[in-house]
Amino acid sequence: MWIEGQVIERRDWNDKLFSLKIKVDIGDFKAGQFIKLSQVVNDKRIGRAYSLVNPPGCDYIEVLAVAVEEGLLSPNLQALNIGDVIDVATKASGFMTLDELPKDEHRGRHLWFLATGTAVGPFISMMNTCEPWKTYERLVLVYGVRKVEDLAYLEQLKAFEARYPEQFRLVLSVTREQYHGALMSRIPDGIISGDLEAKAGLRLSPKDSQVMICGNPEMIIASQQVLSARGLTKNLRRAPGQVTVERYW
Ligand SMILES: Cc1cc2nc3c(=O)[nH]c(=O)nc-3n(C[C@H](O)[C@H](O)[C@H](O)COP(=O)(O)OP(=O)(O)OC[C@H]3O[C@@H](n4cnc5c(N)ncnc54)[C@H](O)[C@@H]3O)c2cc1C
């Protein structure tokens, strides 16, 4: 089922990467979930998933998207202007949410978010709730992009650093350009070399860490392999582990 949403704000981070705020009521959802946006293109309905960047409780939704070359929907989303309408699914879905993480003795003290590109969005949604801050002693967001211009929401992320100086670490990784304080390696390579943990000031371990990974499939697969070699296993409802993933394609 679709309802009409209206674009109320847009922000262009670079010539491909953009955020849209859309006025629509999708009811309640959990931080980390995604919503489907849709259009009828050449008589065919195209629907695609987009993680919600806003926390629950807003009277709009916000998505961060990249216009994929020759993509069926994303270039059309990029072309939307304030006042334009877009079909929005009536309900959000997805299991990459904090309530799916293990509890009690399996919970771990440190929550790591590993994101590439647009996948930083669901983690921003989570960080804008009080849940992770009250549940975990430490939070690390590792945000990997190719170029400095691909870093979205940097101001907001730095504001988390300022607000939670002891509890939060932001680790940026810009693979194709030098950027002050950022790693220059892919996320899995940063784990292997130890550089990523050095920046975070924490070790990844089965005892202390919960890791949520979201973004491109290569990064997810390689990170899972590296973490598995460290003894961190996939988190399943029937068998609590330390690694929770969501692939974007
Ligand atoms: C659970 C889930 C959440 C998602 N959340 C987001 C989101 O928050 N923001 C977002 O931009 N996309 C997100 N996606 C991807 C999104 O649903 C679409 O696949 C994307 O917008 C491309 O759609 P399209 O019709 O333009 O291209 P298509 O014709 O469907 O082309 C798909 C191809 O585009 C590339 N691609 C898809 N998504 C991305 C991406 N995010 N970054 C770089 N390349 C990509 C891949 O090569 C993929 O094979 C999500 C996907 C899933 C499954």
Side-chain angles (χ1 to χ4, degrees):
M1 274 239 306
W2 305 101
I3 41 173
E4 214 166 70
Q6 187 173 41
V7 177
I8 52 169
E9 212 176 295
R10 60 171 293 154
R11 176 156 184 185
D12 292 275
W13 304 97
N14 63 38
D15 63 351
K16 293 276 173 224
L17 185 67
F18 59 99
S19 293
L20 294 176
K21 264 190 196 172
I22 301 166
K23 178 104 177 138
V24 67
D25 183 5
I26 58 160
D28 204 16
F29 72 94
K30 295 174 196 165
Q33 288 192 310
F34 60 86
I35 191 80
K36 280 198 164 182
L37 300 181
S38 170
Q39 268 186 345
V40 176
V41 180
N42 298 331
D43 293 332
K44 206 172 154 227
R45 184 165 282 284
I46 312 287
R48 296 282 186 266
Y50 295 90
S51 297
L52 292 156
V53 182
N54 57 295
C58 300
D59 62 357
Y60 60 85
I61 60 167
E62 180 167 352
V63 296
L64 168 66
V66 68
V68 172
E69 215 156 304
E70 299 190 16
L72 286 175
L73 186 67
S74 56
N76 297 3
L77 297 181
Q78 193 191 25
L80 292 174
N81 283 310
I82 293 172
D84 288 346
V85 292
I86 178 81
D87 289 341
V88 181
T90 47
K91 213 174 154 20
S93 1
F95 297 103
M96 196 185 65
T97 54
L98 293 167
D99 63 343
E100 290 287 334
L101 298 186
K103 302 192 173 46
D104 305 322
E105 77 271 22
H106 300 293
R107 199 184 63 205
R109 297 184 299 142
H110 307 150
L111 180 59
W112 294 71
F113 297 136
L114 310 186
T116 51
T118 52
V120 72
F123 298 132
I124 292 178
S125 177
M126 291 182 207
M127 288 194 290
N128 273 313
T129 70
C130 52
E131 209 56 39
W133 307 104
K134 68 173 196 227
T135 311
Y136 298 92
E137 283 172 32
R138 302 281 296 272
L139 238 76
V140 181
L141 170 66
V142 183
Y143 179 17
V145 295
R146 289 180 181 163
K147 295 183 168 189
V148 177
E149 63 168 25
D150 299 327
L151 289 167
Y153 297 101
L154 204 49
E155 264 171 46
Q156 200 178 137
L157 297 175
K158 294 201 163 161
F160 284 121
E161 279 188 311
R163 186 165 170 197
Y164 303 100
E166 303 298 324
Q167 202 178 357
F168 178 58
R169 284 287 177 284
L170 172 64
V171 179
L172 301 175
S173 171
V174 183
T175 51
R176 297 195 185 167
E177 281 174 2
Q178 289 205 331
Y179 183 60
H180 176 70
L183 295 173
M184 225 179 147
S185 55
R186 290 165 61 246
I187 291 173
D189 297 336
I191 302 175
I192 293 170
S193 68
D195 292 348
L196 199 147
E197 288 160 297
K199 285 265 179 221
L202 281 183
R203 293 277 297 162
L204 283 155
S205 77
K207 179 169 164 284
D208 288 329
S209 316
Q210 275 297 320
V211 188
M212 299 180 110
I213 317 178
C214 189
N216 83 61
E218 292 82 29
M219 182 280 281
I220 292 177
I221 291 165
S223 298
Q224 277 182 299
Q225 283 168 350
V226 176
L227 293 171
S228 160
R230 298 277 201 95
L232 283 81
T233 57
K234 196 163 178 182
N235 181 36
L236 305 170
R237 278 186 178 166
R238 58 183 158 76
Q242 297 83 20
V243 182
T244 304
V245 303
E246 183 167 80
R247 284 176 65 148
Y248 271 9
W249 68 93

